[in-house]
Amino acid sequence: MGTGFFSSVDDVSAKLAEAGYLASTAVATTVFLADRLGKPLLVEGPAGVGKTELAKAVAAVSGSRLVRLQCYEGIDEARALYEWNHAKQLLRITAGREETWEDARTDIFGEEFLLRRPLLTAISGTEPTVLLIDETDKADMEVEGLLLEVLGDFQVTVPELGTITATREPFVVLTSNATRELSEALRRRCLFLHIGFPDEELEREIVRLKVPGINAALADSVVRVIAALRAMDLRKLPSVAETIDWARTLLELGSGTLDEQVVRESLGVVLKHQDDIVKAGAGLKLDQVLDAS
Amino acid sequence: MTAPGVTERLTGFVRALRAQGIPAGPSETVDAAAALEVLGFDDRELVREGLAAALVRRDGQRAVFDAAFDLYFPAGVGVPELAREDRPRDLEQLRDALGAALAEGDQQTLAQLAGLAVDMLGQYGAGSGPGGGFSAHQTLDRLQPQTLITRVLAAMRAGSGAETEEAFTDRLTRDEIRRRVEGFRGQVRTEARRRAAEVRGRERVAKHAIAPAADRVDFLIASRAQLAELRRTVQPLSRKLATRLAARRKRTTRGQIDLRRTLRRSLTTGGVPLRPAYRHRRPGRPEIVLLCDLSGSVAGFANFTMLLVQALRDQFSKIRVFAFVDSTDEVTHLVTTGTADPEHLGARILSEAAVVRWDGHSDYGGALGQFADRWLDAVGPRTSVLVLGDARTNGGDPNLDALRAVRDRARHVFWLNPERRALWSTGDSAALAYAELVEMHECRTVQQLSTLVTRLLPV
């Protein structure tokens, strides 16, 4: 049972940090449990907090290959699991005109003509694998049913070939932005992790790691302003990705400290709606010149 | 295997979660036990996160989980020991220590001070006997942590030496301190629950003292903060409902076999009807009319429902919204255009539409009468009418005829009442009289509302 990538929660934190992913206690603990218990990990949270990055980081530190299934509306079994390579089958049939149907039939439904899609690839491999099922909420309900079967027993049945069972269970990460409610059955199969916005200390560390060359004072200011923005009632709260973007922008602009001018000019990097920008401007009192004590 | 004591603690914990609306089943409990076995008990935060991974299923449940966790897996027993020598002796010293800890943002000290404060200030009743207990409210009332903000602010400004140049981020300091104080208040509540549980038993405290998850908060007693929280759930909730409605629509379009098209299709297969063709009904989207009581007590509920309908806009072919207190007016334009600032929707309606004429007490009879007189043509055979309100007429005539007139024209009329069923037709409520005419449903929480919306609306 389990993938056995990590030896302890601290080990998870340390290894992920080496790969450039600073994990909170919640993240490290859940990853460790998923690794030990061999259960898929369902990660939810706002966009830009590092859900997909987490899967990539786990793959990087464990030396696994990353198999990614990007979900979208209308994705089906053929795209997620496997399909037969019809063109190649036809060529094979035309090439062997002399042979009997019996021979051809056993031939064209062999491994050679099978196109493995991400789910089957992840299951049938023998090397360590991280399977990332990205934006699960975008896929239709039917795909969820398929996932249940695959993630429950880590096996897939191809009628012509029989059942393919994983010899080595992959480490599975499902991400979701909660645009659609996932089914209870799927949730029950998974460990659940909600990645929210990091606390200020962690975010400062993330900024310093991702934006080398930034001085501590500026990183500190950036994180404080972001925290203030998140406390406001905005349509789209800035997430970690935006914090990093902003820190990079400020570094590019060459500003060593934050003041009204700089904040007002660069707020568009952080906020993506005009009315949010207006609201934030009022909330941060950008228009009042330094009159309050 | 886990120790027997742990198993019992865990099952008790899971039971408490279920009572608070987190549907953790046996398989989750098994996962939780496995998690505990892997993680051990050395680090309480790891235990917390591990159990959360196994037992929590969605984001909104986390606050409830944390409160229950602090009860069932407490950080300690009795009064927390301050690691430092100078343990505060009286209220003034406690406030000083708290001020210093707030200025530094020292979480550990804050947690200990919270425990100490509950011990010193929160006790009531006969000592710690069965009649007594610990009250967070009393603690905070005596401690007044919010009055420390100015003092902490001054200390932090002095400490950072920011007097010479006023840095931009200093403006944020006050808000930061306010958030820290808010956090401290939460810690005090946790501590008071923990101590109360030691005295009165965990199960009882868990049942009464844990605030329910947002979608189970009663509309009528929701605080401002809870209503704000509810409003934030409107978008995700509407998406959820929309997919559910769309899925239902998809299912129902698979209608009867279309004989003519099946035959035509069979020509390609030599007259054998291999693939039957189905007659698809054109999906007709319902029209909806909302009639909302916006008077004080029920405004929160009506407001939320309006926001929800607004968010579900594209699920209906037509929406019209009418609001009333003692006079009815159409507010559709306000509801459908005011996307920018939903939180002031109620205030805007009250100020811009003619819904209050006299004293601001709701008058159902008059409002229904006006609606039937002036806007009856808004209701047609494809319309579902939702009436939102508690049916408290303040002693006035309920005007059943007006409601009957509306009912006779509409496809459905449903009345959603935010009061509990037991209170219907007590005092000045005309609920049961109305309920004889139209279907009335108790709708006290978001959970009930979302079930009702998907169940009632025709697709």
Side-chain angles (χ1 to χ4, degrees):
Chain A
M1 275 246 292
T3 31
F5 291 160
F6 304 103
S7 62
S8 71
V9 177
D10 289 338
D11 185 41
V12 176
S13 304
K15 279 187 176 158
L16 287 180
E18 271 171 40
Y21 189 99
L22 296 180
S24 64
T25 316
V27 172
T29 312
T30 328
V31 165
F32 178 63
L33 280 180
D35 175 50
R36 272 304 157 92
L37 304 180
K39 294 200 108 194
L41 182 57
L42 170 62
V43 189
E44 279 192 348
V49 289
K51 300 187 292 292
T52 307
E53 287 307 309
L54 176 61
K56 289 185 185 163
V58 171
V61 299
S62 59
S64 315
R65 90 191 142 144
L66 180 72
V67 179
R68 177 169 178 169
L69 174 65
Q70 174 70 47
C71 295
Y72 50 87
E73 218 174 305
I75 190 173
D76 57 4
E77 211 167 303
R79 293 275 151 216
L81 208 51
Y82 70 90
E83 61 187 324
W84 290 106
N85 190 340
H86 294 305
K88 205 170 170 189
Q89 284 173 329
L90 279 178
L91 278 176
R92 169 70 185 76
I93 293 168
T94 353
R97 279 196 189 288
E98 305 305 313
E99 70 189 351
T100 62
W101 164 241
E102 287 298 321
D103 290 340
R105 189 183 59 185
T106 46
D107 234 36
I108 59 172
F109 286 108
E111 292 264 353
E112 197 191 339
F113 301 94
L114 192 67
L115 288 175
R116 287 158 199 273
R117 300 300 182 197
L119 289 182
L120 186 57
T121 313
I123 279 182
S124 55
T126 50
E127 60 209 290
T129 304
V130 172
L131 170 62
L132 166 64
I133 304 176
D134 218 358
E135 306 196 26
T136 316
D137 50 334
K138 297 273 168 63
D140 303 322
M141 292 294 279
E142 290 79 10
V143 175
E144 263 185 49
L146 183 70
L147 287 178
L148 282 184
E149 185 195 344
V150 175
L151 299 183
D153 308 325
F154 291 111
Q155 64 177 37
V156 169
T157 306
V158 182
E160 293 85 354
L161 291 180
T163 303
I164 301 173
T165 312
T167 46
R168 181 156 193 166
E169 288 180 11
F171 183 97
V172 186
V173 178
L174 300 97
T175 74
S176 159
N177 285 327
T179 53
R180 179 172 67 79
E181 190 65 6
L182 298 178
S183 73
E184 281 303 319
L186 183 63
R187 284 177 185 276
R188 213 173 309 120
R189 297 280 192 296
C190 302
L191 292 174
F192 178 75
L193 171 65
H194 180 266
I195 303 188
F197 302 123
D199 59 24
E200 292 192 22
E201 202 184 321
L202 181 60
E203 189 155 27
R204 265 197 298 275
E205 283 174 35
I206 294 174
V207 168
R208 272 193 235 138
L209 182 76
K210 294 286 176 187
V211 190
I214 196 167
N215 68 41
L218 182 58
D220 186 49
S221 306
V222 165
V223 169
R224 286 178 69 186
V225 175
I226 292 279
L229 289 174
R230 285 186 193 144
M232 290 179 199
D233 196 5
L234 301 177
R235 272 169 75 184
K236 165 80 177 69
L237 295 178
S239 71
V240 187
E242 271 102 42
T243 315
I244 294 170
D245 280 351
W246 199 30
R248 283 207 181 114
T249 312
L250 293 171
L251 200 65
E252 286 292 308
L253 291 173
S255 43
T257 51
L258 277 183
D259 56 45
E260 286 81 17
Q261 193 63 23
V262 175
V263 173
R264 202 193 326 242
E265 278 166 10
S266 56
L267 213 49
V269 179
V270 187
L271 301 175
K272 310 292 157 121
H273 293 284
Q274 182 54 32
D275 31 330
D276 278 0
I277 294 182
V278 172
K279 216 174 191 177
L284 296 174
K285 304 189 192 72
L286 286 182
D287 296 325
Q288 283 175 25
V289 192
L290 314 162
D291 53 1
S293 73
Chain B
M1 272 316 286
T2 39
V6 174
T7 318
E8 262 156 46
R9 178 73 59 98
L10 185 61
T11 47
F13 178 54
V14 172
R15 245 198 328 274
L17 289 182
R18 271 184 224 144
Q20 298 295 334
I22 298 182
S27 75
E28 276 94 343
T29 316
V30 170
D31 285 349
L36 286 182
E37 209 176 310
V38 172
L39 294 170
F41 281 93
D42 297 338
D43 187 332
R44 182 161 172 265
E45 283 314 297
L46 293 195
V47 172
R48 181 197 294 268
E49 298 301 340
L51 287 182
L55 296 171
V56 171
R57 283 289 160 258
R58 56 192 46 134
D59 179 36
Q61 300 170 338
R62 188 57 200 255
V64 174
F65 173 88
D66 279 336
F69 181 84
D70 286 326
L71 266 187
Y72 281 79
F73 298 86
V77 180
V79 195
E81 275 301 310
L82 268 193
R84 302 176 316 166
E85 309 266 294
D86 51 338
R87 185 191 148 139
R89 301 270 160 234
D90 57 17
L91 181 59
E92 264 323 296
Q93 283 186 16
L94 184 64
R95 279 171 60 88
D96 289 344
L98 179 59
L102 283 173
E104 284 183 17
D106 181 348
Q107 284 307 316
Q108 211 156 9
T109 313
L110 282 174
Q112 283 177 332
L113 285 173
L116 211 54
V118 169
D119 190 58
M120 286 166 65
L121 309 171
Q123 228 173 103
Y124 66 89
S128 53
F134 292 88
S135 154
H137 180 73
Q138 182 180 313
T139 312
L140 293 170
D141 202 44
R142 293 190 184 160
L143 189 60
Q144 296 288 336
Q146 65 278 11
T147 56
L148 287 169
I149 290 177
T150 329
R151 204 202 289 185
V152 174
L153 193 63
M156 281 174 79
R157 290 235 164 108
S160 66
E163 268 176 86
T164 43
E165 45 157 339
E166 162 103 2
F168 167 72
T169 40
D170 274 5
R171 232 176 275 164
L172 307 174
T173 314
R174 182 179 287 271
D175 286 332
E176 273 173 24
I177 299 171
R178 202 168 285 140
R179 287 203 291 275
R180 278 180 203 170
V181 168
E182 209 33 63
F184 176 74
R185 295 170 79 96
Q187 283 172 327
V188 166
R189 284 187 206 109
T190 308
E191 274 296 316
R193 272 201 299 268
R194 179 176 72 80
R195 297 295 301 277
E198 283 173 13
V199 183
R200 293 190 295 176
R202 242 180 248 123
E203 307 238 329
R204 262 185 69 194
V205 174
K207 205 157 130 199
H208 298 294
I210 298 178
D215 66 344
R216 292 174 146 235
V217 172
D218 205 319
F219 284 122
L220 292 184
I221 56 171
S223 63
R224 279 178 68 88
Q226 280 170 328
L227 282 177
E229 159 110 38
L230 280 186
R231 278 196 288 271
R232 272 193 287 282
T233 63
V234 165
Q235 284 305 328
L237 175 65
S238 66
R239 277 199 305 253
K240 197 161 105 183
L241 293 180
T243 34
R244 222 184 283 167
L245 288 171
R248 213 165 72 187
R249 197 172 295 146
K250 218 180 199 170
R251 269 205 305 278
T252 50
T253 53
R254 184 154 215 207
Q256 298 155 302
I257 287 193
D258 185 336
L259 209 59
R260 207 156 55 98
R261 278 179 52 226
T262 307
L263 277 179
R264 193 173 335 131
R265 200 179 267 183
S266 72
L267 292 182
T268 54
T269 46
V272 184
L274 273 184
R275 284 187 309 136
Y278 293 96
R279 193 194 310 271
H280 291 279
R281 262 192 301 145
R282 290 281 146 245
R285 284 183 298 181
E287 288 173 19
I288 191 160
V289 167
L290 287 186
L291 188 57
C292 318
D293 180 0
L294 279 190
S295 66
S297 56
V298 287
F301 159 65
N303 214 329
F304 181 82
T305 314
M306 272 192 282
L307 287 177
L308 182 65
V309 169
Q310 178 191 13
L312 280 172
R313 204 159 23 183
D314 48 358
Q315 296 299 312
F316 308 109
S317 61
K318 201 169 174 192
I319 299 181
R320 293 185 75 175
V321 185
F322 299 86
F324 66 89
V325 176
D326 53 17
S327 166
T328 314
D329 198 4
E330 173 154 16
V331 295
T332 312
H333 58 290
L334 294 176
V335 176
T336 47
T337 53
T339 46
D341 206 356
E343 79 186 278
H344 297 127
L345 182 63
R348 253 181 87 200
I349 291 176
L350 289 179
S351 66
E352 289 180 32
V355 293
V356 184
R357 202 166 30 166
W358 308 112
D359 53 355
H361 289 303
S362 44
D363 171 6
Y364 277 81
L368 285 170
Q370 268 186 346
F371 178 72
D373 284 347
R374 293 178 56 189
W375 289 285
L376 202 55
D377 55 346
V379 180
R382 281 158 51 83
T383 322
S384 297
V385 181
L386 291 185
V387 187
L388 313 172
D390 57 3
R392 295 208 170 265
T393 56
N394 290 300
D397 166 30
N399 200 349
L400 297 175
D401 286 339
L403 185 63
R404 204 173 283 129
V406 173
R407 183 196 63 182
D408 290 343
R409 284 179 63 98
R411 177 160 171 204
H412 305 285
V413 179
F414 300 109
W415 191 305
L416 306 186
N417 192 332
E419 279 195 334
R420 67 173 73 242
R421 196 175 283 269
L423 293 177
W424 292 3
S425 275
T426 58
D428 58 356
S429 163
L432 292 182
Y434 288 128
E436 275 180 22
L437 294 181
V438 301
E439 249 182 273
M440 189 177 279
H441 296 273
E442 177 185 285
C443 181
R444 290 164 54 206
T445 64
V446 173
Q447 210 186 19
Q448 278 177 325
L449 178 64
S450 47
T451 346
L452 282 172
V453 167
T454 38
R455 222 187 66 210
L456 300 183
L457 292 182
V459 172

